[in-house]
Amino acid sequence: MPSSSPRAFTGRTPLAFLALTSTLVVTLLLVPYAALETLRARVPLIGLTSTWLDALAPGVDMEHLVAFALLGALVRLAQVRPRPVLSLLFLAACGAATELAQALVPTRSPTADDLLLNVAGSVLGYACVALLTVALRPSQRRT
């Protein structure tokens, strides 16, 4: 009997998006600051987004929150059977690994604040998609 719950993506599409997003998140969070500034200056969308995030929360690296929220959302979309505890532990480990890897990049440094933003973003993205999935599920009532 086919499942009655709709899926936003089918087949390998969510895994492809997850792989692409994971690569982008890790790359952007490990790139030296000088390269990020060049990227912001040369790509208008990135520059405008960065300026908007800086204005939203001055002094806070909101890029970490946004990047991991996207990653958390895609992890939830890629799951056939949701496993929230394992998924969030995995995402927290990815956030910690990203922060630790920054210690190896000149001009970057791991911070507890960034780790908290990574974890908060993961939870936020995962929870938003989980709530939307429940809200958009067809009613199981029979009339």
Side-chain angles (χ1 to χ4, degrees), residues 78-129:
Q79 294 178 324
V80 175
R81 274 195 341 213
R83 299 191 186 281
V85 173
L86 286 176
S87 299
L88 293 173
L89 286 173
F90 168 75
L91 288 163
C94 288
T98 301
E99 288 306 308
L100 290 174
Q102 286 184 4
L104 303 174
V105 178
T107 74
R108 299 297 299 244
S109 59
T111 67
D113 290 345
D114 288 347
L115 176 60
L116 289 175
L117 287 170
N118 294 350
V119 173
S122 298
V123 171
L124 181 68
Y126 192 95
C128 285
V129 171

mmCIF file of all heavy atoms in Angstrom, residues 78-129:
data_model
loop_
_atom_site.group_PDB
_atom_site.id
_atom_site.type_symbol
_atom_site.label_atom_id
_atom_site.label_comp_id
_atom_site.label_asym_id
_atom_site.label_seq_id
_atom_site.Cartn_x
_atom_site.Cartn_y
_atom_site.Cartn_z
ATOM 1 N N ALA A 78 15.654 14.906 3.343
ATOM 2 C CA ALA A 78 16.286 13.718 2.773
ATOM 3 C C ALA A 78 15.870 12.431 3.476
ATOM 4 O O ALA A 78 16.143 11.342 2.976
ATOM 5 C CB ALA A 78 17.806 13.860 2.828
ATOM 6 N N GLN A 79 15.203 12.544 4.604
ATOM 7 C CA GLN A 79 14.859 11.354 5.382
ATOM 8 C C GLN A 79 13.537 10.752 4.941
ATOM 9 O O GLN A 79 12.541 11.457 4.816
ATOM 10 C CB GLN A 79 14.780 11.702 6.867
ATOM 11 C CG GLN A 79 16.113 12.102 7.438
ATOM 12 C CD GLN A 79 15.998 12.497 8.888
ATOM 13 O OE1 GLN A 79 15.021 13.088 9.311
ATOM 14 N NE2 GLN A 79 17.026 12.169 9.643
ATOM 15 N N VAL A 80 13.555 9.444 4.735
ATOM 16 C CA VAL A 80 12.316 8.726 4.455
ATOM 17 C C VAL A 80 11.582 8.496 5.782
ATOM 18 O O VAL A 80 10.396 8.755 5.893
ATOM 19 C CB VAL A 80 12.601 7.381 3.749
ATOM 20 C CG1 VAL A 80 11.328 6.581 3.574
ATOM 21 C CG2 VAL A 80 13.275 7.638 2.413
ATOM 22 N N ARG A 81 12.338 8.023 6.779
ATOM 23 C CA ARG A 81 11.803 7.865 8.130
ATOM 24 C C ARG A 81 12.558 8.828 9.040
ATOM 25 O O ARG A 81 13.760 8.654 9.253
ATOM 26 C CB ARG A 81 11.997 6.441 8.637
ATOM 27 C CG ARG A 81 10.899 5.531 8.230
ATOM 28 C CD ARG A 81 10.897 4.245 9.008
ATOM 29 N NE ARG A 81 12.159 3.937 9.662
ATOM 30 C CZ ARG A 81 12.623 2.728 9.838
ATOM 31 N NH1 ARG A 81 11.958 1.707 9.398
ATOM 32 N NH2 ARG A 81 13.762 2.531 10.463
ATOM 33 N N PRO A 82 11.883 9.836 9.560
ATOM 34 C CA PRO A 82 12.570 10.825 10.399
ATOM 35 C C PRO A 82 13.179 10.194 11.647
ATOM 36 O O PRO A 82 12.572 9.347 12.294
ATOM 37 C CB PRO A 82 11.463 11.801 10.794
ATOM 38 C CG PRO A 82 10.355 11.555 9.847
ATOM 39 C CD PRO A 82 10.475 10.143 9.387
ATOM 40 N N ARG A 83 14.367 10.587 11.955
ATOM 41 C CA ARG A 83 15.072 10.195 13.175
ATOM 42 C C ARG A 83 15.659 11.467 13.769
ATOM 43 O O ARG A 83 16.849 11.742 13.608
ATOM 44 C CB ARG A 83 16.157 9.184 12.866
ATOM 45 C CG ARG A 83 15.613 7.901 12.262
ATOM 46 C CD ARG A 83 16.701 6.849 12.245
ATOM 47 N NE ARG A 83 16.309 5.639 11.557
ATOM 48 C CZ ARG A 83 15.553 4.693 12.072
ATOM 49 N NH1 ARG A 83 15.063 4.828 13.268
ATOM 50 N NH2 ARG A 83 15.276 3.612 11.384
ATOM 51 N N PRO A 84 14.813 12.253 14.446
ATOM 52 C CA PRO A 84 15.242 13.580 14.892
ATOM 53 C C PRO A 84 16.430 13.567 15.846
ATOM 54 O O PRO A 84 17.338 14.388 15.699
ATOM 55 C CB PRO A 84 14.005 14.183 15.551
ATOM 56 C CG PRO A 84 13.012 13.106 15.663
ATOM 57 C CD PRO A 84 13.413 11.988 14.774
ATOM 58 N N VAL A 85 16.466 12.669 16.810
ATOM 59 C CA VAL A 85 17.555 12.684 17.789
ATOM 60 C C VAL A 85 18.888 12.380 17.101
ATOM 61 O O VAL A 85 19.868 13.111 17.267
ATOM 62 C CB VAL A 85 17.280 11.704 18.951
ATOM 63 C CG1 VAL A 85 18.482 11.606 19.867
ATOM 64 C CG2 VAL A 85 16.044 12.132 19.728
ATOM 65 N N LEU A 86 18.923 11.311 16.303
ATOM 66 C CA LEU A 86 20.156 10.961 15.588
ATOM 67 C C LEU A 86 20.554 12.057 14.609
ATOM 68 O O LEU A 86 21.739 12.390 14.484
ATOM 69 C CB LEU A 86 19.987 9.640 14.845
ATOM 70 C CG LEU A 86 19.992 8.383 15.705
ATOM 71 C CD1 LEU A 86 19.714 7.155 14.853
ATOM 72 C CD2 LEU A 86 21.322 8.238 16.412
ATOM 73 N N SER A 87 19.581 12.620 13.927
ATOM 74 C CA SER A 87 19.864 13.673 12.950
ATOM 75 C C SER A 87 20.453 14.902 13.623
ATOM 76 O O SER A 87 21.435 15.478 13.138
ATOM 77 C CB SER A 87 18.590 14.065 12.212
ATOM 78 O OG SER A 87 18.077 12.968 11.511
ATOM 79 N N LEU A 88 19.868 15.317 14.731
ATOM 80 C CA LEU A 88 20.356 16.516 15.411
ATOM 81 C C LEU A 88 21.712 16.270 16.070
ATOM 82 O O LEU A 88 22.553 17.176 16.108
ATOM 83 C CB LEU A 88 19.319 17.029 16.407
ATOM 84 C CG LEU A 88 18.040 17.553 15.727
ATOM 85 C CD1 LEU A 88 16.978 17.903 16.758
ATOM 86 C CD2 LEU A 88 18.330 18.726 14.820
ATOM 87 N N LEU A 89 21.951 15.059 16.542
ATOM 88 C CA LEU A 89 23.285 14.731 17.055
ATOM 89 C C LEU A 89 24.320 14.782 15.931
ATOM 90 O O LEU A 89 25.428 15.295 16.106
ATOM 91 C CB LEU A 89 23.290 13.355 17.724
ATOM 92 C CG LEU A 89 22.618 13.276 19.093
ATOM 93 C CD1 LEU A 89 22.546 11.823 19.558
ATOM 94 C CD2 LEU A 89 23.355 14.126 20.108
ATOM 95 N N PHE A 90 23.950 14.247 14.777
ATOM 96 C CA PHE A 90 24.837 14.299 13.611
ATOM 97 C C PHE A 90 25.119 15.746 13.209
ATOM 98 O O PHE A 90 26.272 16.118 12.955
ATOM 99 C CB PHE A 90 24.204 13.529 12.446
ATOM 100 C CG PHE A 90 24.889 13.762 11.129
ATOM 101 C CD1 PHE A 90 26.116 13.181 10.857
ATOM 102 C CD2 PHE A 90 24.310 14.574 10.169
ATOM 103 C CE1 PHE A 90 26.752 13.399 9.644
ATOM 104 C CE2 PHE A 90 24.934 14.802 8.957
ATOM 105 C CZ PHE A 90 26.159 14.210 8.688
ATOM 106 N N LEU A 91 24.083 16.577 13.154
ATOM 107 C CA LEU A 91 24.258 17.975 12.761
ATOM 108 C C LEU A 91 25.094 18.735 13.792
ATOM 109 O O LEU A 91 25.926 19.576 13.424
ATOM 110 C CB LEU A 91 22.892 18.646 12.565
ATOM 111 C CG LEU A 91 22.152 18.195 11.308
ATOM 112 C CD1 LEU A 91 20.682 18.570 11.395
ATOM 113 C CD2 LEU A 91 22.800 18.770 10.069
ATOM 114 N N ALA A 92 24.898 18.440 15.072
ATOM 115 C CA ALA A 92 25.716 19.078 16.113
ATOM 116 C C ALA A 92 27.174 18.659 15.962
ATOM 117 O O ALA A 92 28.087 19.489 16.100
ATOM 118 C CB ALA A 92 25.192 18.711 17.499
ATOM 119 N N ALA A 93 27.401 17.391 15.636
ATOM 120 C CA ALA A 93 28.774 16.921 15.415
ATOM 121 C C ALA A 93 29.390 17.610 14.197
ATOM 122 O O ALA A 93 30.581 17.971 14.216
ATOM 123 C CB ALA A 93 28.789 15.402 15.235
ATOM 124 N N CYS A 94 28.597 17.821 13.163
ATOM 125 C CA CYS A 94 29.089 18.548 11.982
ATOM 126 C C CYS A 94 29.443 19.986 12.349
ATOM 127 O O CYS A 94 30.466 20.514 11.893
ATOM 128 C CB CYS A 94 28.036 18.557 10.875
ATOM 129 S SG CYS A 94 27.809 16.976 10.078
ATOM 130 N N GLY A 95 28.612 20.614 13.172
ATOM 131 C CA GLY A 95 28.909 21.980 13.613
ATOM 132 C C GLY A 95 30.180 22.043 14.425
ATOM 133 O O GLY A 95 31.014 22.936 14.242
ATOM 134 N N ALA A 96 30.368 21.075 15.316
ATOM 135 C CA ALA A 96 31.583 21.033 16.135
ATOM 136 C C ALA A 96 32.808 20.753 15.270
ATOM 137 O O ALA A 96 33.856 21.384 15.438
ATOM 138 C CB ALA A 96 31.448 19.966 17.217
ATOM 139 N N ALA A 97 32.668 19.830 14.318
ATOM 140 C CA ALA A 97 33.790 19.506 13.432
ATOM 141 C C ALA A 97 34.182 20.717 12.583
ATOM 142 O O ALA A 97 35.374 20.975 12.370
ATOM 143 C CB ALA A 97 33.428 18.324 12.538
ATOM 144 N N THR A 98 33.187 21.461 12.129
ATOM 145 C CA THR A 98 33.466 22.657 11.343
ATOM 146 C C THR A 98 34.227 23.680 12.176
ATOM 147 O O THR A 98 35.197 24.285 11.712
ATOM 148 C CB THR A 98 32.155 23.273 10.819
ATOM 149 O OG1 THR A 98 31.474 22.301 10.027
ATOM 150 C CG2 THR A 98 32.409 24.503 9.987
ATOM 151 N N GLU A 99 33.803 23.861 13.415
ATOM 152 C CA GLU A 99 34.499 24.823 14.289
ATOM 153 C C GLU A 99 35.917 24.360 14.587
ATOM 154 O O GLU A 99 36.852 25.164 14.567
ATOM 155 C CB GLU A 99 33.717 25.040 15.577
ATOM 156 C CG GLU A 99 32.445 25.834 15.399
ATOM 157 C CD GLU A 99 32.669 27.172 14.716
ATOM 158 O OE1 GLU A 99 33.543 27.942 15.170
ATOM 159 O OE2 GLU A 99 31.989 27.446 13.717
ATOM 160 N N LEU A 100 36.104 23.082 14.854
ATOM 161 C CA LEU A 100 37.451 22.572 15.122
ATOM 162 C C LEU A 100 38.347 22.676 13.895
ATOM 163 O O LEU A 100 39.535 22.985 14.006
ATOM 164 C CB LEU A 100 37.387 21.131 15.614
ATOM 165 C CG LEU A 100 36.801 20.948 17.019
ATOM 166 C CD1 LEU A 100 36.662 19.471 17.344
ATOM 167 C CD2 LEU A 100 37.642 21.657 18.059
ATOM 168 N N ALA A 101 37.772 22.435 12.718
ATOM 169 C CA ALA A 101 38.558 22.536 11.480
ATOM 170 C C ALA A 101 39.005 23.971 11.223
ATOM 171 O O ALA A 101 40.044 24.195 10.597
ATOM 172 C CB ALA A 101 37.746 22.005 10.311
ATOM 173 N N GLN A 102 38.255 24.937 11.718
ATOM 174 C CA GLN A 102 38.644 26.335 11.537
ATOM 175 C C GLN A 102 39.965 26.648 12.246
ATOM 176 O O GLN A 102 40.661 27.588 11.868
ATOM 177 C CB GLN A 102 37.552 27.283 12.032
ATOM 178 C CG GLN A 102 36.373 27.350 11.105
ATOM 179 C CD GLN A 102 35.344 28.360 11.554
ATOM 180 O OE1 GLN A 102 35.528 29.078 12.526
ATOM 181 N NE2 GLN A 102 34.239 28.427 10.839
ATOM 182 N N ALA A 103 40.318 25.862 13.224
ATOM 183 C CA ALA A 103 41.592 26.070 13.915
ATOM 184 C C ALA A 103 42.769 25.806 12.973
ATOM 185 O O ALA A 103 43.869 26.312 13.209
ATOM 186 C CB ALA A 103 41.684 25.160 15.133
ATOM 187 N N LEU A 104 42.533 25.047 11.909
ATOM 188 C CA LEU A 104 43.591 24.719 10.957
ATOM 189 C C LEU A 104 43.708 25.741 9.825
ATOM 190 O O LEU A 104 44.617 25.657 9.009
ATOM 191 C CB LEU A 104 43.343 23.334 10.360
ATOM 192 C CG LEU A 104 43.221 22.187 11.365
ATOM 193 C CD1 LEU A 104 42.830 20.902 10.654
ATOM 194 C CD2 LEU A 104 44.520 22.017 12.126
ATOM 195 N N VAL A 105 42.757 26.673 9.752
ATOM 196 C CA VAL A 105 42.742 27.659 8.670
ATOM 197 C C VAL A 105 43.274 28.990 9.185
ATOM 198 O O VAL A 105 42.767 29.517 10.179
ATOM 199 C CB VAL A 105 41.300 27.852 8.134
ATOM 200 C CG1 VAL A 105 41.263 28.902 7.037
ATOM 201 C CG2 VAL A 105 40.739 26.539 7.647
ATOM 202 N N PRO A 106 44.306 29.520 8.519
ATOM 203 C CA PRO A 106 44.811 30.832 8.948
ATOM 204 C C PRO A 106 43.694 31.877 8.877
ATOM 205 O O PRO A 106 42.864 31.836 7.980
ATOM 206 C CB PRO A 106 45.902 31.149 7.925
ATOM 207 C CG PRO A 106 46.250 29.845 7.303
ATOM 208 C CD PRO A 106 45.020 28.988 7.375
ATOM 209 N N THR A 107 43.669 32.769 9.786
ATOM 210 C CA THR A 107 42.694 33.864 9.932
ATOM 211 C C THR A 107 41.332 33.393 10.418
ATOM 212 O O THR A 107 40.438 34.211 10.559
ATOM 213 C CB THR A 107 42.498 34.698 8.645
ATOM 214 O OG1 THR A 107 41.734 33.958 7.688
ATOM 215 C CG2 THR A 107 43.829 35.147 8.058
ATOM 216 N N ARG A 108 41.138 32.106 10.674
ATOM 217 C CA ARG A 108 39.869 31.616 11.222
ATOM 218 C C ARG A 108 40.137 31.063 12.607
ATOM 219 O O ARG A 108 41.235 30.608 12.912
ATOM 220 C CB ARG A 108 39.260 30.506 10.345
ATOM 221 C CG ARG A 108 38.923 30.877 8.924
ATOM 222 C CD ARG A 108 37.862 31.942 8.773
ATOM 223 N NE ARG A 108 36.575 31.621 9.305
ATOM 224 C CZ ARG A 108 35.471 31.488 8.592
ATOM 225 N NH1 ARG A 108 35.501 31.603 7.289
ATOM 226 N NH2 ARG A 108 34.327 31.235 9.169
ATOM 227 N N SER A 109 39.140 31.095 13.452
ATOM 228 C CA SER A 109 39.296 30.525 14.788
ATOM 229 C C SER A 109 37.958 29.968 15.257
ATOM 230 O O SER A 109 36.913 30.563 15.018
ATOM 231 C CB SER A 109 39.808 31.580 15.771
ATOM 232 O OG SER A 109 38.905 32.658 15.823
ATOM 233 N N PRO A 110 37.985 28.824 15.927
ATOM 234 C CA PRO A 110 36.746 28.249 16.448
ATOM 235 C C PRO A 110 36.265 29.035 17.663
ATOM 236 O O PRO A 110 37.071 29.482 18.472
ATOM 237 C CB PRO A 110 37.149 26.826 16.830
ATOM 238 C CG PRO A 110 38.618 26.881 17.047
ATOM 239 C CD PRO A 110 39.141 27.974 16.175
ATOM 240 N N THR A 111 34.960 29.224 17.761
ATOM 241 C CA THR A 111 34.400 29.901 18.938
ATOM 242 C C THR A 111 33.174 29.140 19.427
ATOM 243 O O THR A 111 32.470 28.498 18.642
ATOM 244 C CB THR A 111 33.985 31.361 18.637
ATOM 245 O OG1 THR A 111 32.887 31.351 17.719
ATOM 246 C CG2 THR A 111 35.136 32.170 18.052
ATOM 247 N N ALA A 112 32.935 29.246 20.712
ATOM 248 C CA ALA A 112 31.746 28.611 21.298
ATOM 249 C C ALA A 112 30.477 29.271 20.769
ATOM 250 O O ALA A 112 29.464 28.591 20.552
ATOM 251 C CB ALA A 112 31.807 28.694 22.820
ATOM 252 N N ASP A 113 30.520 30.585 20.543
ATOM 253 C CA ASP A 113 29.344 31.284 20.004
ATOM 254 C C ASP A 113 28.956 30.734 18.628
ATOM 255 O O ASP A 113 27.779 30.516 18.349
ATOM 256 C CB ASP A 113 29.609 32.786 19.888
ATOM 257 C CG ASP A 113 29.684 33.470 21.242
ATOM 258 O OD1 ASP A 113 29.255 32.866 22.247
ATOM 259 O OD2 ASP A 113 30.169 34.616 21.284
ATOM 260 N N ASP A 114 29.956 30.522 17.782
ATOM 261 C CA ASP A 114 29.670 29.977 16.456
ATOM 262 C C ASP A 114 29.137 28.549 16.545
ATOM 263 O O ASP A 114 28.238 28.171 15.802
ATOM 264 C CB ASP A 114 30.915 30.007 15.574
ATOM 265 C CG ASP A 114 31.291 31.424 15.130
ATOM 266 O OD1 ASP A 114 30.461 32.335 15.308
ATOM 267 O OD2 ASP A 114 32.403 31.592 14.613
ATOM 268 N N LEU A 115 29.669 27.766 17.471
ATOM 269 C CA LEU A 115 29.167 26.406 17.664
ATOM 270 C C LEU A 115 27.695 26.443 18.086
ATOM 271 O O LEU A 115 26.871 25.681 17.564
ATOM 272 C CB LEU A 115 29.994 25.659 18.707
ATOM 273 C CG LEU A 115 29.511 24.252 19.058
ATOM 274 C CD1 LEU A 115 29.496 23.355 17.829
ATOM 275 C CD2 LEU A 115 30.370 23.649 20.146
ATOM 276 N N LEU A 116 27.359 27.347 18.989
ATOM 277 C CA LEU A 116 25.955 27.477 19.406
ATOM 278 C C LEU A 116 25.066 27.896 18.237
ATOM 279 O O LEU A 116 23.941 27.411 18.093
ATOM 280 C CB LEU A 116 25.836 28.475 20.558
ATOM 281 C CG LEU A 116 26.397 27.993 21.891
ATOM 282 C CD1 LEU A 116 26.348 29.116 22.928
ATOM 283 C CD2 LEU A 116 25.645 26.784 22.398
ATOM 284 N N LEU A 117 25.565 28.807 17.396
ATOM 285 C CA LEU A 117 24.788 29.216 16.217
ATOM 286 C C LEU A 117 24.638 28.057 15.234
ATOM 287 O O LEU A 117 23.575 27.893 14.626
ATOM 288 C CB LEU A 117 25.454 30.412 15.531
ATOM 289 C CG LEU A 117 25.321 31.739 16.258
ATOM 290 C CD1 LEU A 117 26.216 32.795 15.621
ATOM 291 C CD2 LEU A 117 23.876 32.209 16.261
ATOM 292 N N ASN A 118 25.668 27.246 15.084
ATOM 293 C CA ASN A 118 25.590 26.069 14.207
ATOM 294 C C ASN A 118 24.498 25.113 14.693
ATOM 295 O O ASN A 118 23.662 24.652 13.918
ATOM 296 C CB ASN A 118 26.921 25.324 14.166
ATOM 297 C CG ASN A 118 28.037 26.115 13.522
ATOM 298 O OD1 ASN A 118 27.818 27.157 12.924
ATOM 299 N ND2 ASN A 118 29.248 25.618 13.657
ATOM 300 N N VAL A 119 24.506 24.826 15.981
ATOM 301 C CA VAL A 119 23.526 23.892 16.550
ATOM 302 C C VAL A 119 22.115 24.496 16.503
ATOM 303 O O VAL A 119 21.157 23.823 16.120
ATOM 304 C CB VAL A 119 23.920 23.485 17.985
ATOM 305 C CG1 VAL A 119 22.827 22.664 18.635
ATOM 306 C CG2 VAL A 119 25.234 22.708 17.971
ATOM 307 N N ALA A 120 22.003 25.770 16.855
ATOM 308 C CA ALA A 120 20.691 26.429 16.817
ATOM 309 C C ALA A 120 20.131 26.448 15.399
ATOM 310 O O ALA A 120 18.937 26.194 15.182
ATOM 311 C CB ALA A 120 20.797 27.850 17.368
ATOM 312 N N GLY A 121 20.975 26.730 14.427
ATOM 313 C CA GLY A 121 20.526 26.723 13.036
ATOM 314 C C GLY A 121 20.070 25.345 12.600
ATOM 315 O O GLY A 121 19.052 25.204 11.928
ATOM 316 N N SER A 122 20.803 24.318 12.995
ATOM 317 C CA SER A 122 20.431 22.944 12.652
ATOM 318 C C SER A 122 19.061 22.593 13.210
ATOM 319 O O SER A 122 18.209 22.055 12.504
ATOM 320 C CB SER A 122 21.461 21.955 13.210
ATOM 321 O OG SER A 122 22.722 22.180 12.659
ATOM 322 N N VAL A 123 18.861 22.911 14.475
ATOM 323 C CA VAL A 123 17.579 22.620 15.127
ATOM 324 C C VAL A 123 16.461 23.412 14.461
ATOM 325 O O VAL A 123 15.381 22.877 14.175
ATOM 326 C CB VAL A 123 17.650 22.922 16.642
ATOM 327 C CG1 VAL A 123 16.282 22.847 17.287
ATOM 328 C CG2 VAL A 123 18.627 21.973 17.326
ATOM 329 N N LEU A 124 16.711 24.679 14.191
ATOM 330 C CA LEU A 124 15.703 25.537 13.567
ATOM 331 C C LEU A 124 15.293 25.008 12.194
ATOM 332 O O LEU A 124 14.103 24.866 11.893
ATOM 333 C CB LEU A 124 16.242 26.962 13.449
ATOM 334 C CG LEU A 124 15.316 27.995 12.839
ATOM 335 C CD1 LEU A 124 14.143 28.253 13.779
ATOM 336 C CD2 LEU A 124 16.069 29.285 12.581
ATOM 337 N N GLY A 125 16.266 24.699 11.348
ATOM 338 C CA GLY A 125 15.958 24.198 10.007
ATOM 339 C C GLY A 125 15.236 22.862 10.035
ATOM 340 O O GLY A 125 14.245 22.659 9.335
ATOM 341 N N TYR A 126 15.732 21.951 10.857
ATOM 342 C CA TYR A 126 15.122 20.627 10.968
ATOM 343 C C TYR A 126 13.684 20.748 11.487
ATOM 344 O O TYR A 126 12.761 20.143 10.938
ATOM 345 C CB TYR A 126 15.954 19.737 11.891
ATOM 346 C CG TYR A 126 15.569 18.283 11.844
ATOM 347 C CD1 TYR A 126 16.243 17.402 11.009
ATOM 348 C CD2 TYR A 126 14.541 17.781 12.635
ATOM 349 C CE1 TYR A 126 15.895 16.056 10.954
ATOM 350 C CE2 TYR A 126 14.188 16.449 12.588
ATOM 351 C CZ TYR A 126 14.865 15.593 11.751
ATOM 352 O OH TYR A 126 14.505 14.264 11.694
ATOM 353 N N ALA A 127 13.497 21.547 12.532
ATOM 354 C CA ALA A 127 12.168 21.701 13.138
ATOM 355 C C ALA A 127 11.176 22.363 12.192
ATOM 356 O O ALA A 127 10.010 21.956 12.129
ATOM 357 C CB ALA A 127 12.276 22.502 14.433
ATOM 358 N N CYS A 128 11.618 23.364 11.444
ATOM 359 C CA CYS A 128 10.714 24.034 10.503
ATOM 360 C C CYS A 128 10.181 23.060 9.459
ATOM 361 O O CYS A 128 8.980 23.030 9.179
ATOM 362 C CB CYS A 128 11.417 25.203 9.823
ATOM 363 S SG CYS A 128 11.607 26.649 10.877
ATOM 364 N N VAL A 129 11.068 22.259 8.890
ATOM 365 C CA VAL A 129 10.631 21.298 7.878
ATOM 366 C C VAL A 129 9.756 20.219 8.517
ATOM 367 O O VAL A 129 8.747 19.811 7.941
ATOM 368 C CB VAL A 129 11.830 20.687 7.132
ATOM 369 C CG1 VAL A 129 11.391 19.536 6.231
ATOM 370 C CG2 VAL A 129 12.526 21.751 6.313
#
